[in-house]
Amino acid sequence: MQKMAELLGLRDECGEGTLGAPALAGSCLADNRLNLDVYPDGCRRFLQLFKEQQGELVQVEFLRLSSNDCLLDTTLGNLPHLKHLKSLVLKGGHARDKFGSYQHGSLTSLPPDFVNLRCLTHLDLSFNRLSTLPSCILHLPSLRVLLVSHNSLVTLPEDFGCLSKLTFFSAMKNQLKDLPQSIGELSMLQDLDLSENALELLPEEVGNLHNCAELDLSGNCLSSIPDSLANLKSLRRLHLHSNLLVTVPASLASLPNLSRLDLQNNCLRAIPAEIQALPFVHVRGNPLGETEPSPQAGLKSLHNVINSCMSSGSFTVTSEGCRVVLACGIHFYFPPGAASAPLRIHFRCLTPDPQWVKLRHHDVLLSRVLELQPHGIQFQQEVQIWMPYISPQTPHQHEVVVRTFSGQSWNDLKTRVKQKRKSKKCVAHCCVLHFSWFLVVSRLVQNECKVPAEGTLLFSSVDPNIKVIFPPGVTEEPRSVKLQVLPVSAEEIQEITAHAECRASPLLYLSQDSMVDFLKPVRIQLPLPPGVTGLNLDRSRLHILHGDLEGQTWNDITSEVVLEFTHLYAVFEVTHFSWYWLWYTTKTYIGGIAKKVYERLRLYQVNFIALQRKRDPEQVLLQCVPKHKVDPVLKKLQDRYRGPEPSDMVEMFEGEQFFAAFERGISIDMDRPDCVDGRLSFIFYSHLKNMKEIYVTSPVDRKGQAVKGQVSFYRGAVPDSIPEDASRRRKGPDSLWLATLPIKLPQLKPRWDENPSPLYGFSFPPLNLGNAETGYLTQANLLSIARRVGADWQSIGLNLGLTYQQIERIGYNNREDLNKQILDMLFSWAQQNSEDPDCVSKLITALKESGRQDIADEVEAIVELGRQKYSESIRRLGLEQESSTEDSAIAMI
């Protein structure tokens, strides 16, 4: 293994594996495990190893590769040579497209000689492009765990039941419409996940899965389920939510081990009394007690109400129509006939990414991004969408619109807004015939008209004194013209310019849908700047400025146009459209002053706050708050958090990126998706919560002293939309720094009495679970296991023998940190069972019973290696006995 690490030139960067073996490529190789999916060129590394160190590589038992890798096809041909392979992961989802969505891998099939992997027990092909299940999979005799979720499978092979050893199968988020009858032959299957498919009917043979403990059929198109499900005596959890069920068999109440039955979001108008009486049944989102509607005039009036408490998920729409209510406040109405056939709708609420959410000047983002799939699908009738948004601070100058992405550009939809009476929340309503991405923005009020050949008049609803007059013959073909106005107060001008005599009119922006200039000049009327009239006007001080589309350049065009004056207005003529601004000043270089003012009008004054939770100082809240909101935000947080005073005021643009870096002995999890080069990434939006709460640690020994660190905020890459002068000022060694605030981690209190050592904020005694013959599980092994447990920790804890009271206490004591809950559960059990020589086998059994065969396989591999090392040491010392101790140890497992 050491030679393999040296081969890639990574030996000096690597640490030691959990059992002292050298690790390859940042711990991607540990003993018999090779993790290359964390590298964009993982397949290239594999091929290099296969070419130069094939003899050692073929001993690998656990392999992970990314199916987003361009060399995947070449790599697949070499995998059948790994005869000892037990676990193979070929997942996609390691790359994102320009919209932030995970990209599926390129895998569409497997080579036929994959049948040579006769030791393979775990196969994960999720997030790929499989339309059919590769036939070679059916000939893997040892396969126990198979994951093909997030693919495009329409059906499973008829002889799927030949996978007789299968205990876990997940095909969630595919397009399965039916199941083969042979699925009932999977007699050892314990966990079956078929959620988010298009199943309309289940075969009766599903009732033959006598060992099945968890069955997930949520998110399908099932209107009924077979009575044979009552034969699943081992079933503990049955998920049937988000289907079209109109009835459920009463016999489900007789299942002896059932602890959860989820019937939410269906069409159930009545539920058998035997089921309704069960304490673990969930029926929210059903029209219980409602009478069956009758068709009137050929129009069906069935409207299902679907509730979802997730930021992503799916629901089914039929030709009968339905109403959909998401917990985030988004509403949909699909009228009858909008969908001609049952259609699965997928939704996601996304954090906006400025790389593709392009805001225009003076736009303000008021909501998260809503993605609806399938993209581009055409409905037969308009679908109505209601999106909640945050009320803008300047409603008289701005208007709220829903903006949608067509795949090429963002377009504004015709939008109606209203405020709910009870909650006072604002909602934007629009109608669409297609699905894509949607968000709510506040833009400058827009007035528009169609200009015919006969001419017309367009004026601003923000300032009716601003008019645009189109004379007859101004155009041959009708064209659409839009007008927007940005009022600027005299106080703002004086504050920015520091000159009391500088005054300016409102900003006028004109645009059209044609690239051709008008045939005749267009007359524009602007009000004179405040305090200036036709009686006291000094024409030498009046300037008409023309700005480009980005406001980067402002040219004085006073000498190029014919100016007319009335008592209150200035009138001039132009042939092309852009920004126009009337200034009254004694300054000579007025273009530069206007550019500075325009830039400042787009900036927001903000402060940074960094607070630590009083009960858990490792929980740190970071937020970028507009200056006028700082005091209310701090008042709301003061009962639960403490920390330093906010930073000094800085200025930021809407949609600008910035980073938070923890320094001087404070660190965070570098694997977070929002972590870039060790820094947390933020995007500033003035009306959204620019807040993150994270768990921090310290590599410094906190047994004897506290850690006095800090968090510093830095600007990110300068956006293209920032004016050139502002961009130039942000260059240099210190230009990216914004603010620094102190963070203090208190002295660590030992959690257990003997030999405390700081790990993940806990102190653990040394552990050696098991014995020399069966192999030990060390503290480092348990920490490695804890990283993979996730939300299954409660189930694992119960199967390990912890009581409900212990689980509840662990959850409460660490209620705001999942990692601490997992560590507390594992090490509490380990301490209680450290003297039990059979505790390792109990852990493996508990992991299998909790549906975590993947972790169980890893533990088995670790203890197997320990047994081998012990046996080798016995042989070297000449102490091997006639009766094989090793065989008896293996029998125990």
Side-chain angles (χ1 to χ4, degrees):
M1 296 298 177
Q2 184 172 352
K3 293 180 180 177
M4 293 169 66
E6 292 172 349
L7 176 64
L8 295 182
L10 298 166
R11 183 69 185 96
D12 295 337
E13 303 175 13
C14 304
E16 294 294 314
T18 56
L19 293 174
L24 171 64
S27 298
C28 70
L29 176 64
D31 298 314
N32 56 357
R33 299 194 301 276
L34 183 58
N35 299 330
L36 294 174
D37 55 342
V38 295
Y39 298 99
D41 61 343
C43 286
R44 181 193 65 79
R45 293 171 180 248
F46 177 89
L47 293 171
Q48 186 177 1
L49 286 171
F50 189 83
K51 178 180 179 181
E52 302 185 19
Q53 297 290 332
Q54 181 175 347
E56 297 181 24
L57 184 61
V58 294
Q59 301 300 320
V60 168
E61 296 181 2
F62 299 87
L63 175 62
R64 299 178 66 94
L65 290 168
S66 168
S67 58
N68 295 110
D69 198 304
C70 59
L71 294 177
L72 178 67
D73 290 341
T74 307
T75 305
L76 288 176
N78 295 322
L79 294 184
H81 294 282
L82 279 59
K83 306 290 186 181
H84 301 281
L85 201 60
K86 292 182 178 179
S87 174
L88 176 60
V89 177
L90 295 172
K91 289 177 63 174
H94 294 275
R96 298 195 182 203
D97 59 20
K98 63 180 180 179
F99 306 119
S101 300
Y102 289 107
Q103 287 186 321
H104 285 235
S106 59
L107 188 68
T108 57
S109 62
L110 293 176
D113 52 354
F114 251 64
V115 298
N116 297 331
L117 301 177
R118 305 191 66 81
C119 295
L120 195 66
T121 62
H122 174 266
L123 179 60
D124 189 347
L125 304 176
S126 303
F127 273 101
N128 280 293
R129 304 179 188 277
L130 297 173
S131 56
T132 59
L133 195 70
S135 59
C136 59
I137 293 178
L138 303 179
H139 301 283
L140 297 174
S142 303
L143 195 62
R144 290 186 289 174
V145 177
L146 176 60
L147 298 95
V148 290
S149 57
H150 294 269
N151 276 278
S152 304
L153 298 175
V154 177
T155 185
L156 295 175
E158 287 299 326
D159 53 347
F160 185 71
C162 67
L163 293 172
S164 58
K165 293 187 178 181
L166 207 62
T167 61
F168 181 97
F169 177 58
S170 174
M172 69 174 294
K173 286 224 172 186
N174 278 273
Q175 301 167 23
L176 296 174
K177 296 182 178 180
D178 53 30
L179 298 175
Q181 295 180 352
S182 65
I183 197 169
E185 299 172 14
L186 302 175
S187 58
M188 297 182 66
L189 195 64
Q190 298 174 13
D191 197 318
L192 178 58
D193 186 354
L194 298 170
S195 59
E196 306 291 335
N197 278 279
L199 296 174
E200 299 178 0
L201 194 65
L202 294 179
E204 289 285 341
E205 287 76 10
V206 171
N208 296 333
L209 303 175
H210 299 299
N211 285 309
C212 188
E214 181 157 5
L215 178 58
D216 193 342
L217 297 167
S218 59
N220 281 281
C221 304
L222 298 171
S223 58
S224 64
I225 54 176
D227 293 337
S228 62
L229 288 187
N231 299 330
L232 305 181
K233 303 302 181 183
S234 299
L235 196 62
R236 295 181 181 179
R237 292 173 291 274
L238 178 57
H239 306 277
L240 293 167
H241 67 81
S242 305
N243 274 279
L244 303 174
L245 294 176
V246 294
T247 180
V248 289
S251 54
L252 292 180
S254 64
L255 292 172
N257 293 305
L258 197 63
S259 60
R260 180 179 180 85
L261 176 57
D262 194 343
L263 299 172
Q264 298 180 88
N265 306 329
N266 278 283
C267 307
L268 297 169
R269 301 181 182 277
I271 295 177
E274 301 94 322
I275 291 180
Q276 203 157 10
L278 298 174
F280 48 77
V281 175
H282 303 267
V283 296
R284 177 186 170 195
N286 283 282
L288 295 174
E290 296 183 11
T291 58
E292 183 75 25
S294 57
Q296 294 181 357
L299 183 65
K300 294 187 176 180
S301 59
L302 176 62
H303 302 296
N304 301 326
V305 180
I306 303 175
N307 297 278
S308 175
C309 59
M310 301 176 292
S311 60
S312 64
S314 65
F315 53 87
T316 300
V317 176
T318 68
S319 59
E320 297 174 322
C322 67
R323 290 187 183 274
V324 181
V325 182
L326 307 185
C328 58
I330 297 175
H331 292 218
F332 304 93
Y333 172 62
F334 296 85
S340 57
L343 178 65
R344 196 75 189 167
I345 303 295
H346 298 270
F347 67 87
R348 289 197 302 167
C349 291
L350 306 170
T351 302
D353 185 343
Q355 296 298 321
W356 61 280
V357 177
K358 300 294 185 182
L359 296 179
R360 301 158 192 161
H361 286 200
H362 311 289
D363 282 352
V364 177
L365 187 63
L366 303 179
S367 74
R368 299 183 72 191
V369 179
L370 170 66
E371 182 186 9
L372 297 173
Q373 294 181 321
H375 292 165
I377 187 169
Q378 193 76 13
F379 291 99
Q380 304 301 314
Q381 297 188 45
E382 287 189 333
V383 176
Q384 300 183 51
I385 305 176
W386 289 264
M387 294 184 64
Y389 65 91
I390 300 171
S391 179
Q393 299 164 9
T394 54
H396 61 288
Q397 301 175 4
H398 286 68
E399 61 185 352
V400 174
V401 294
V402 176
R403 188 166 289 172
T404 183
F405 188 71
S406 64
Q408 300 294 329
S409 61
W410 290 91
N411 301 300
D412 295 343
L413 300 172
K414 185 177 180 181
T415 307
R416 292 188 295 112
V417 298
K418 68 175 183 178
Q419 188 178 49
K420 295 183 178 180
R421 294 181 179 179
K422 293 183 179 180
S423 63
K424 302 296 182 182
K425 293 182 179 180
C426 300
V427 179
H429 171 258
C430 65
C431 298
V432 297
L433 285 170
H434 72 281
F435 275 175
S436 60
W437 292 267
F438 302 87
L439 51 83
V440 183
V441 298
S442 172
R443 71 180 184 191
L444 294 176
V445 173
Q446 182 171 285
N447 302 107
E448 58 183 305
C449 70
K450 269 294 189 190
V451 179
E454 297 80 16
T456 188
L457 169 66
L458 176 63
F459 65 90
S460 168
S461 59
V462 174
D463 187 344
N465 296 316
I466 298 177
K467 299 179 181 179
V468 182
I469 302 138
F470 299 90
V474 71
T475 180
E476 293 180 351
E477 299 292 334
R479 63 178 76 181
S480 178
V481 173
K482 298 176 182 178
L483 175 153
Q484 292 175 295
V485 171
L486 176 63
V488 185
S489 67
E491 292 77 13
E492 286 179 303
I493 297 292
Q494 293 176 10
E495 179 184 353
I496 298 172
T497 62
H499 195 280
E501 296 185 3
C502 276
R503 303 168 193 176
S505 71
L507 258 166
L508 171 64
Y509 177 66
L510 294 170
S511 62
Q512 59 170 325
D513 61 356
S514 174
M515 302 296 293
V516 181
D517 287 345
F518 289 99
L519 300 179
K520 291 184 178 181
V522 176
R523 291 175 62 85
I524 297 176
Q525 174 182 295
L526 286 177
L528 293 171
V532 180
T533 66
L535 299 178
N536 62 8
L537 174 68
D538 181 352
R539 297 190 60 161
S540 66
R541 298 171 61 181
L542 190 69
H543 305 268
I544 297 178
L545 302 182
H546 168 263
D548 62 10
L549 294 178
E550 296 298 324
Q552 296 276 6
T553 305
W554 292 88
N555 297 317
D556 189 342
I557 60 171
T558 310
S559 60
E560 303 172 16
V561 299
V562 177
L563 269 172
E564 301 176 12
F565 299 98
T566 67
H567 181 60
L568 298 175
Y569 310 114
V571 181
F572 56 96
E573 295 181 341
V574 297
T575 56
H576 61 278
F577 282 176
S578 186
W579 289 98
Y580 292 98
W581 208 353
L582 199 61
W583 276 73
Y584 193 75
T585 180
T586 57
K587 299 284 186 180
T588 54
Y589 182 53
I590 188 61
I593 298 175
K595 183 177 180 179
K596 175 183 176 182
V597 173
Y598 183 80
E599 174 191 322
R600 285 286 301 274
L601 290 174
R602 295 177 53 209
L603 284 168
Y604 291 86
Q605 296 181 336
V606 301
N607 300 86
F608 297 100
I609 61 175
L611 304 176
Q612 293 173 266
R613 194 175 283 270
K614 291 180 179 180
R615 294 186 177 182
D616 185 4
E618 285 84 4
Q619 292 290 130
V620 178
L621 181 146
L622 304 178
Q623 190 169 6
C624 176
V625 187
K627 184 176 68 173
H628 67 281
K629 293 183 179 180
V630 171
D631 289 339
V633 168
L634 290 177
K635 185 176 180 180
K636 187 176 180 180
L637 298 172
Q638 64 184 2
D639 292 337
R640 293 173 293 150
Y641 297 87
R642 64 165 61 95
E645 291 295 315
S647 72
D648 293 337
M649 186 271 294
V650 298
E651 293 181 329
M652 302 194 76
F653 289 94
E654 182 86 0
E656 184 174 356
Q657 185 180 35
F658 65 95
F659 295 94
F662 288 90
E663 302 161 340
R664 298 180 60 183
I666 306 292
S667 59
I668 59 172
D669 179 11
M670 300 297 182
D671 293 331
R672 292 173 57 107
D674 58 352
C675 193
V676 180
D677 296 330
R679 298 178 175 185
L680 281 178
S681 173
F682 291 78
I683 306 296
F684 171 73
Y685 292 106
S686 58
H687 284 58
L688 304 185
K689 286 186 178 180
N690 309 288
M691 179 184 72
K692 292 183 181 181
E693 189 167 8
I694 59 173
Y695 176 67
V696 300
T697 59
S698 175
V700 180
D701 187 351
R702 293 168 52 199
K703 291 184 294 183
Q705 62 179 357
V707 177
K708 296 181 180 180
Q710 64 187 29
V711 58
S712 295
F713 297 89
Y714 299 88
R715 296 191 189 276
V718 181
D720 296 335
S721 58
I722 286 185
E724 182 181 348
D725 288 350
S727 175
R728 191 181 303 116
R729 290 196 299 271
R730 295 182 182 184
K731 295 179 180 178
D734 299 321
S735 58
L736 297 181
W737 176 83
L738 292 167
T740 296
L741 294 172
I743 297 290
K744 180 179 179 181
L745 293 181
Q747 181 177 340
L748 192 65
K749 296 179 180 180
R751 193 171 179 84
W752 284 281
D753 295 334
E754 53 179 346
N755 301 324
S757 60
L759 283 168
Y760 292 84
F762 281 93
S763 299
F764 302 121
L767 287 172
N768 280 306
L769 299 180
N771 56 59
E773 294 183 2
T774 62
Y776 286 116
L777 280 183
T778 66
Q779 181 190 76
N781 296 143
L782 280 186
L783 287 172
S784 176
I785 293 169
R787 294 189 188 101
R788 299 179 57 186
V789 168
D792 296 323
W793 73 271
Q794 292 174 311
S795 174
I796 294 172
L798 291 172
N799 287 321
L800 283 171
L802 298 180
T803 65
Y804 280 102
Q805 290 77 12
Q806 287 176 300
I807 294 294
E808 289 178 355
R809 184 172 67 252
I810 291 171
Y812 178 78
N813 290 341
N814 310 286
R815 56 190 173 278
E816 293 170 357
D817 194 311
L818 176 61
N819 290 332
K820 286 188 174 182
Q821 292 172 346
I822 297 168
L823 289 170
D824 201 348
M825 180 274 294
L826 272 179
F827 280 87
S828 295
W829 168 81
Q831 283 189 301
Q832 295 172 14
N833 296 271
S834 59
E835 302 299 325
D836 183 0
D838 201 31
C839 61
V840 175
S841 61
K842 292 179 179 178
L843 174 60
I844 294 173
T845 302
L847 290 169
K848 292 180 178 179
E849 291 178 348
S850 304
R852 296 309 303 267
Q853 184 71 42
D854 55 331
I855 307 179
D857 288 344
E858 182 175 342
V859 174
E860 287 179 329
I862 291 172
V863 297
E864 174 66 25
L865 182 62
R867 284 197 293 264
Q868 292 175 5
K869 289 184 176 180
Y870 175 75
S871 177
E872 291 169 3
S873 66
I874 291 293
R875 293 192 190 97
R876 284 197 304 269
L877 295 174
L879 299 176
E880 189 172 19
Q881 301 176 0
E882 292 293 330
S883 60
S884 173
T885 306
E886 183 180 5
D887 291 342
S888 62
I890 294 176
M892 293 173 62
I893 309 294

